[in-house]
Amino acid sequence: MWGMRGFKSVLRNGGRSRRGPTGIYNRRMTQAIERPPSEQAGEAQAYGNFIGGEWRPAQSGRTFESRNPADGDDLIGHFAASDAADVAAAVRAAEDALPAWRSMPAPKRGEIMYHFGALLGENKERLARAMTREMGKVIAEARGDVQEGVDIAYLMAGEGRRLFGDTTPSELPSKWAMSVREPIGIAGIITPWNFPVAIPCWKMTAALICGNTVVLKPASDTPHCAALLVELMAEAGFPPGVVNLVTGSGADVGMPLVDSPDVDVISFTGSSDTGRELAGRAARRLKRLSLELGGKNAIAVMADADLDLAVDGIVWSAFGTTGQRCTACSRLVVDENVADELVGRLADRAAGLRLGSGLEVETDVGPLINASAVEKVGGYVEVGTDEGARLLSGGSRAEGDGLARGNFFQPTILDGVKPMDRVAQEEIFGPVLSVIRVSGYEEAATVVNQTRYGLSSSIYTRDTNTAFRAMRDFRTGIVYVNAGTIGAETHLPFGGMKQTGNGHREAGHAALDTFTEWKSIYVDYSGRLQRAQIDNQ
Ligand code: NDP
């Protein structure tokens, strides 16, 4: 397995100039790919880009591998290791398709979107299993990930009959005033691996219903999920060129997409470091950019909380998806009066969680995405204990019971963490919970907000006044009361305050703002010159 370790992360970083090319690029794909990927024979299939309605290999012929993080011997397939030439071809296809797509009535675009939602629902189990195999989350959560795609497809299909603007009185007589939404043009969509169906769906369905065409660049850890998704979109009836897929590294595909003068808007979800880099590039081109970045989400547990409920919510939020959710709870801010009892119960629960392949129904926690994630998470445990935290459970790689070929890490709890310790401030993106003890609500609220991130937060309390104070005080885009930090629904805005993003929101009708321009229209039917601000006195 460890000959393979780091392949995914090597690709993610390897395309960047500081590491140079790697052996992963040495395979050549010389045959054009004519059939959809899922119909091809053979165990480790070759998957191309989807450009202008055709599956095509990378122009360079290079490929990269995707492997199962629960079992590095399981090769999922070979994928196009694309570069700027492939991006240019996809952007051209998106450009060619744009005039017809943007002038199709939005309700008609919505009909295709409904069809896509239905197809996704019919293929839920197939996609969920492919997702678990490729990125490791347990099968029930993978089904939930696909269901999010279905939900957002239906929501956005409905937007085809809304896309509301405003009609408003004019300050002048016999004059009509209204605002309408218009598509921006070509949307570049860059997505992470942790929600490989839901996140591309959130972004693409919003972009498409508004009349934009898209080029999707998925994470290099989950190209298979992206290929299956795009295949279904083609089947649903999105015309050729409306949805394009280009796989490959952030440096070779993501950057050219951001830099392309013909791509009008970039929607990105990923790490803060990458987001910051994209922000600089997009700003130089005065390009619209929506960023959904990291989180350091806290659950506050007050002395009057229902501890049974809190334990369930914390375990689910901290260790679900192996802690690899942007909304995962990584800080527990607990009143000192109930801290010992709560932490003791959490440690028991964490120790009892079963690690394994997410395809086995009894598994609670799947693998981390790749070998470098295991190293990173292990490194943070060391940082935490060096800073004075007490290791209550877990703390290292899990290798027993058939886990050795995967990237497994034990669910970990660090107690006695101080609010400004690195493990309380930096995104670990793994199954590590830092416990911070506080005295009462005021201190809890201060600690919850004492981070540069602002995605999700939660409070457990039986006191209505305390709950409402938290709703007011917690500086996060999402606040939960008596529930964990994860579980957003698609019809509400999703996104974070502070350095979790740059002010945009996904999902709900708020998502439409990223992908539309406002146009204000005035119709003067008075038959004479009427001057605004002058003739209305
Ligand atoms: P990365 O930032 O490493 O990668 C995200 C995407 O960006 C990938 O497709 C990646 O490609 C691409 N990319 C990397 N470098 C560049 C570049 N220089 N130019 C353009 N594109 C680039 O994040 P992860 O995939 O590791 O995802 C985990 C992160 O995502 C966490 O920080 C998590 O908090 C955040 N996240 C945020 C969410 C939110 O809504 N706020 C939701 C889910 C995740 P490649 O894979 O080839 O490197």
Side-chain angles (χ1 to χ4, degrees):
M1 153 75 197
W2 300 112
M4 303 300 169
R5 64 188 280 179
F7 260 34
K8 293 182 174 186
S9 57
V10 164
L11 174 64
R12 290 197 307 149
N13 298 318
R16 297 174 199 166
S17 53
R18 69 174 186 272
R19 292 214 187 166
T22 71
I24 203 162
Y25 288 117
N26 63 10
R27 174 180 283 269
R28 294 205 154 252
M29 189 168 20
T30 49
Q31 297 293 311
I33 296 170
E34 288 162 1
R35 284 172 296 160
S38 62
E39 289 177 16
Q40 292 187 36
E43 280 191 0
Q45 302 167 358
Y47 298 79
N49 293 320
F50 189 66
I51 297 177
E54 289 172 5
W55 292 95
R56 306 181 194 169
Q59 292 183 35
S60 67
R62 293 185 306 159
T63 64
F64 66 98
E65 295 176 347
S66 178
R67 287 179 181 267
N68 182 342
D71 177 0
D73 291 346
D74 179 16
L75 174 63
I76 292 166
H78 304 279
F79 296 85
S82 313
D83 58 28
D86 304 293
V87 173
V91 170
R92 250 192 330 273
E95 218 169 22
D96 290 346
L98 185 60
W101 182 247
R102 67 177 289 155
S103 53
M104 180 185 287
K108 292 285 167 206
R109 296 198 292 262
E111 284 172 20
I112 298 173
M113 195 75 75
Y114 272 122
H115 191 197
F116 166 59
L119 276 176
L120 202 50
E122 285 163 26
N123 286 274
K124 183 169 166 177
E125 191 59 24
R126 183 169 69 90
L127 261 72
R129 297 188 81 78
M131 186 186 305
T132 295
R133 183 178 171 210
E134 189 167 42
M135 57 70 67
K137 69 172 69 172
V138 299
I139 187 70
E141 293 183 37
R143 291 183 189 120
D145 191 317
V146 180
Q147 186 58 44
E148 263 191 77
V150 175
D151 294 346
I152 196 78
Y154 286 152
L155 179 77
M156 289 300 162
E159 282 300 336
R161 288 196 178 267
R162 292 187 292 268
L163 284 179
F164 292 139
D166 295 321
T167 56
T168 182
S170 164
E171 64 188 41
L172 292 162
S174 302
K175 190 174 171 191
W176 178 267
M178 64 182 171
S179 60
V180 296
R181 290 183 184 275
E182 289 209 339
I184 299 185
I186 297 174
I189 307 287
I190 304 178
T191 53
W193 46 266
N194 64 338
F195 280 83
V197 169
I199 291 178
C201 283
W202 282 14
K203 294 176 186 296
M204 287 197 288
T205 57
L208 291 166
I209 200 65
C210 294
N212 305 282
T213 53
V214 307
V215 178
L216 168 65
K217 181 264 178 269
S220 297
D221 284 315
T222 49
H224 188 219
C225 290
L228 297 179
L229 184 65
V230 165
E231 185 187 356
L232 284 182
M233 295 181 93
E235 195 181 333
F238 290 101
V242 168
V243 177
N244 304 278
L245 168 71
V246 184
T247 56
S249 74
D252 291 340
V253 177
M255 280 198 208
L257 195 56
V258 175
D259 289 342
S260 168
D262 301 316
V263 173
D264 304 280
V265 51
I266 295 287
S267 178
F268 170 84
T269 298
S271 64
S272 298
D273 286 347
T274 312
R276 214 167 275 119
E277 180 171 348
L278 264 58
R281 287 175 171 268
R284 280 195 291 281
R285 288 159 187 80
L286 299 179
K287 186 173 293 199
R288 189 178 300 184
L289 173 71
S290 163
L291 296 174
E292 290 295 342
L293 310 175
K296 194 69 194 175
N297 313 293
I299 292 180
V301 179
M302 299 293 91
D304 65 352
D306 176 339
L307 293 191
D308 292 334
L309 193 62
V311 166
D312 284 344
I314 295 162
V315 169
W316 171 227
S317 302
F319 305 126
T321 325
T322 323
Q324 302 171 113
R325 287 191 186 217
C326 49
T327 51
C329 169
S330 57
R331 295 182 298 149
L332 170 60
V333 180
V334 56
D335 189 290
E336 58 199 3
N337 290 311
V338 289
D340 285 342
E341 185 186 345
L342 181 67
V343 165
R345 287 164 68 172
L346 286 171
D348 288 347
R349 283 283 291 276
L353 293 172
R354 198 190 140 106
L355 275 62
S357 160
L359 289 170
E360 290 159 18
V361 283
E362 59 281 7
T363 295
D364 297 308
V365 179
L368 288 168
I369 186 66
N370 53 37
S372 62
V374 176
E375 277 164 34
K376 179 182 166 195
V377 174
Y380 268 111
V381 174
E382 257 181 65
V383 166
T385 49
D386 287 351
E387 285 175 322
R390 198 157 57 90
L391 184 61
L392 287 189
S393 62
S396 51
R397 225 187 117 187
E399 291 179 298
D401 297 336
L403 304 178
R405 291 206 309 274
N407 307 311
F408 292 94
F409 201 92
Q410 297 164 336
T412 298
I413 300 177
L414 294 168
D415 195 6
V417 172
K418 297 178 288 305
M420 297 311 288
D421 285 352
R422 283 184 62 196
V423 287
Q425 290 293 322
E426 297 173 20
E427 189 181 46
I428 300 173
F429 225 56
V432 179
L433 180 67
S434 297
V435 181
I436 304 169
R437 295 171 180 237
V438 294
S439 167
Y441 172 79
E442 293 299 340
E443 191 182 350
T446 302
V447 170
V448 166
N449 290 334
Q450 226 166 15
T451 159
R452 62 180 172 274
Y453 296 112
L455 184 52
S456 185
S457 60
S458 141
I459 187 161
Y460 280 86
T461 177
R462 287 189 170 101
D463 184 280
T464 312
N465 292 352
T466 306
F468 270 84
R469 289 170 74 192
M471 287 184 245
R472 179 196 62 196
D473 296 339
F474 288 7
R475 294 273 302 144
T476 53
I478 307 165
V479 178
Y480 293 90
V481 176
N482 291 326
T485 49
I486 64 181
E489 300 179 28
T490 55
H491 51 301
L492 276 75
F494 180 94
M497 298 180 182
K498 299 192 270 182
Q499 291 185 24
T500 286
N502 61 346
H504 292 271
R505 290 292 182 270
E506 308 226 45
H509 57 77
L512 306 176
D513 293 338
T514 297
F515 297 107
T516 49
E517 295 279 12
W518 281 112
K519 183 180 273 182
S520 299
I521 300 175
Y522 303 94
V523 182
D524 191 322
Y525 56 98
S526 69
R528 61 180 188 277
L529 174 66
Q530 298 197 92
R531 297 171 298 174
Q533 294 90 40
I534 296 172
D535 293 333
N536 61 348
Q537 301 304 315

